[in-house]
Amino acid sequence: MKPAYEQIADDIEREIREGRFRSGERLPSIREVCATYRVSKNTAVNAYDILKSKHLVYSIPQSGCYILEQRLKVERPSATVIDFSRGNPLLGNVYTPDLKHCLDRAIDICNTNSSDWHELYGVPSLRKLLPKYLADFQVFTTPENIFVNLGVQQALNILHNMSFPNKKDVILIEQPTYRYYSNYLKSNGAKILGIPREQAGIDINLLEDLFKKEKIKFFYTVPNSHNPLGTCYSKAQRKAIAQLAEKYDVYVVEDDYFGDVLFGDHGDPIYSYGDFKHHIYLKSFIKIIPWIRIGISVIPTHLLPLFTEQVRYSYYNSYFSPSLVSQSTLEIYIRSNLLHKHVVSLKKELALRIECLKTHFADAAKYGAAWVGGESGFYCYLMLPDYINEIQFVENLKRRGILVTPGAECFFNEQYYKKGIRISVARTNVSEINRGILEIYKELSRHSSKNNHDIVSLTL
């Protein structure tokens, strides 16, 4: 049983959340709390201290405690819109007391760290901590090989601009893939080749053929929780990719943006099966801890001078490193084991959403559609029948309050394009998934009926 002061704090917090008190309204006095709950003055004071620590109330001497203004509350999305289009979870879905604790501690760390180190490599104390954290994922490295950056995209930009020892200049990407990187490569005139990726992964024989015949500088791949497919490579595929990289002197840039939250046994990162010379490992915490924008890059020793040089150049047009506060916050999350706690909570919630989504998969066949993914992560891909206009389909759903991502945005050209829509469950709950998928099927049914009518008309 909780102590009396915690129960009182819980009661008052619930009443605040339910809107019983308005912003700026004075809460019951200490005397009134004592009388209501029949407790001592110290118990009532302790209850309000808890609410102050959660930043729900503030006190004015000789006046009492008041509700914080509404502007401090997290803004909620419209209840009429179901957002399947974005992959970043809402800030309001996190355990904020943990965040407040970490931020408080982070300020102390910031006071002892030099900005010189932070701007190029990252905070030394965090870099020293990260090898132990990465070892849990079978990624073994040293602090000297780790750069702390704003996210995966910043590291990818550096790698694109960097000359590699293999003297090659073509970047191989999966099709479909992370759309922002694909768009970045196209806008910068990069030499790009694609390799189709489906439910079962990629064709390893085709990969070897491309490695052998083309001047592949590096292969950008997302082995886990693929965006947009929601699939994972098998252990055998990971090993094969690592072996081919060494054999043909091709670098593998592995984007493990969601490796902490992984379902099923798919093997370790490709990095762990390689020669530690042809493998660059990228990790992001943005989707796990969305209130701090931060990622890490593990760079092979022989590439460190080249990578460091490009990081220095990057400051002329962009910022590579996250703030000291963000880095220190991540350090506290890892040291205090709160990151593990948060991952367990996120994984539990995500499992419910994925299972809910998968209950609808079989019905897609009725409309000539098919699902890809549902293995891990936030994403799935719904393959649409050829007769459907993808853009019109997406617009029709939008008018009905269902937001999805057009599949065309995830392919860099029509050669690899497979008509469909990307579905993300990052900003939804089970109820919204059920309602949203049924609306998508209703839209599919309308198109199917119209197509059948058109076929009959042509026949007549």
Side-chain angles (χ1 to χ4, degrees):
M1 167 137 341
K2 287 184 178 181
Y5 65 91
E6 289 187 8
Q7 294 181 38
I8 296 170
D10 288 346
D11 287 349
I12 297 175
E13 179 176 352
R14 184 177 62 255
E15 291 174 343
I16 292 172
R17 302 290 187 194
E18 292 174 353
R20 177 177 171 182
F21 302 101
R22 297 187 301 274
S23 296
E25 182 178 351
R26 182 178 179 275
L27 287 166
S29 67
I30 296 295
R31 181 178 297 176
E32 289 170 327
V33 171
C34 291
T36 300
Y37 289 93
R38 297 180 181 179
V39 295
S40 67
K41 179 180 177 182
N42 284 339
T43 298
V45 169
N46 288 337
Y48 275 126
D49 284 344
I50 289 176
L51 297 172
K52 290 177 191 175
S53 71
K54 291 185 176 183
H55 303 282
L56 293 170
V57 307
Y58 65 97
S59 62
I60 298 177
Q62 309 303 318
S63 178
C65 285
Y66 295 82
I67 305 293
L68 279 171
E69 296 297 324
Q70 288 283 356
R71 61 187 173 84
L72 297 178
K73 292 187 176 180
V74 177
E75 196 172 309
R76 300 292 177 184
S78 169
T80 61
V81 174
I82 298 175
D83 190 353
F84 288 131
S85 68
R86 287 185 281 183
N88 292 327
L90 290 168
L91 299 183
N93 291 343
V94 300
Y95 191 58
T96 50
D98 287 351
L99 169 61
K100 291 164 184 172
H101 164 73
C102 291
L103 284 172
D104 288 341
R105 294 285 310 280
I107 301 301
D108 296 332
I109 296 179
C110 288
N111 291 333
T112 62
N113 277 303
S114 166
S115 62
D116 295 337
W117 276 88
H118 137 257
E119 288 176 357
L120 189 59
Y121 304 103
V123 170
S125 56
L126 175 59
R127 291 175 75 216
K128 190 178 295 185
L129 176 67
L130 286 172
K132 183 179 178 181
Y133 163 77
L134 290 170
D136 290 339
F137 304 94
Q138 301 303 304
V139 174
F140 300 102
T141 187
T142 68
E144 291 71 29
N145 295 88
I146 295 175
F147 287 77
V148 181
N149 44 274
L150 277 170
V152 167
Q153 185 64 56
Q154 281 65 33
L156 290 172
N157 295 354
I158 295 293
L159 294 169
H160 165 252
N161 293 322
M162 193 175 104
S163 296
F164 278 62
N166 61 14
K167 306 299 182 183
K168 301 175 184 180
D169 60 358
V170 177
I171 297 174
L172 180 65
I173 60 176
E174 299 159 334
Q175 286 298 283
T177 194
Y178 172 44
R179 55 178 171 158
Y180 293 117
Y181 185 49
S182 181
N183 291 339
Y184 169 81
L185 291 175
K186 287 193 292 184
S187 66
N188 282 273
K191 295 181 181 180
I192 316 169
L193 279 177
I195 182 168
R197 178 161 175 175
E198 299 176 345
Q199 179 79 48
I202 58 173
D203 183 335
I204 294 298
N205 291 327
L206 175 58
L207 182 70
E208 180 170 15
D209 195 52
L210 290 170
F211 278 10
K212 183 191 301 184
K213 296 178 180 179
E214 305 292 341
K215 295 181 178 180
I216 307 297
K217 174 180 175 179
F218 64 76
F219 172 38
Y220 169 69
T221 178
V222 186
N224 297 324
S225 306
H226 185 266
N227 178 4
L229 299 181
T231 60
C232 299
Y233 281 146
S234 67
K235 183 177 181 178
Q237 288 177 319
R238 295 165 196 253
K239 286 184 174 181
I241 293 169
Q243 291 166 0
L244 291 175
E246 181 179 1
K247 181 177 180 179
Y248 294 102
D249 193 21
V250 173
Y251 289 83
V252 174
V253 176
E254 181 174 10
D255 183 349
D256 198 16
Y257 76 99
F258 209 45
D260 294 73
V261 185
L262 189 61
F263 298 102
D265 182 13
H266 305 283
D268 298 321
I270 299 172
Y271 179 98
S272 67
Y273 302 115
D275 59 1
F276 301 104
K277 294 180 181 178
H278 289 89
H279 301 270
I280 296 159
Y281 180 81
L282 308 179
K283 194 173 190 67
S284 172
F285 296 92
I286 295 170
K287 296 191 185 302
I288 304 171
I289 320 175
W291 51 89
I292 57 173
R293 192 169 188 84
I294 192 167
I296 55 177
S297 305
V298 180
I299 308 298
T301 299
H302 71 288
L303 291 184
L304 286 176
L306 295 169
F307 192 82
T308 303
E309 181 182 33
Q310 287 299 320
V311 171
R312 292 184 189 277
Y313 290 155
S314 74
Y315 279 95
Y316 292 113
N317 52 40
S318 65
Y319 203 63
F320 181 75
S321 296
S323 68
L324 281 170
V325 172
S326 292
Q327 294 188 57
S328 300
T329 302
L330 176 61
E331 182 176 341
I332 295 299
Y333 259 91
I334 295 173
R335 287 190 186 279
S336 62
N337 210 35
L338 286 174
L339 179 59
H340 175 71
K341 171 187 172 183
H342 182 54
V343 165
V344 169
S345 177
L346 178 59
K347 194 170 182 178
K348 182 178 179 180
E349 171 61 29
L350 182 55
L352 295 175
R353 299 181 200 177
I354 291 177
E355 288 307 310
C356 173
L357 185 62
K358 289 167 74 172
T359 62
H360 296 278
F361 279 10
D363 292 333
K366 299 176 185 177
Y367 313 102
W371 288 93
V372 178
E375 294 178 16
S376 189
F378 290 137
Y379 305 107
C380 280
Y381 196 79
L382 179 61
M383 304 280 289
L384 298 175
D386 289 338
Y387 61 79
I388 286 183
N389 182 312
E390 178 186 299
I391 301 303
Q392 188 62 56
F393 186 81
V394 171
E395 284 300 313
N396 289 350
L397 288 174
K398 185 177 180 180
R399 293 190 190 99
R400 297 164 67 178
I402 311 296
L403 306 181
V404 299
T405 300
E409 294 185 6
C410 303
F411 295 86
F412 82 86
N413 67 27
E414 292 183 357
Q415 176 184 351
Y416 305 99
Y417 170 61
K418 292 188 177 180
K419 187 178 294 184
I421 55 174
R422 189 193 72 174
I423 301 292
S424 169
V425 296
R427 292 179 172 233
T428 61
N429 54 40
V430 167
S431 174
E432 290 170 334
I433 291 169
N434 283 325
R435 289 190 290 116
I437 300 302
L438 289 178
E439 288 297 321
I440 290 173
Y441 283 162
K442 286 179 183 178
E443 186 63 27
L444 275 170
S445 179
R446 289 190 183 92
H447 283 263
S448 178
S449 298
K450 182 179 183 302
N451 182 65
N452 291 335
H453 177 270
D454 291 344
I455 291 174
V456 171
S457 299
L458 287 172
T459 303
L460 295 175

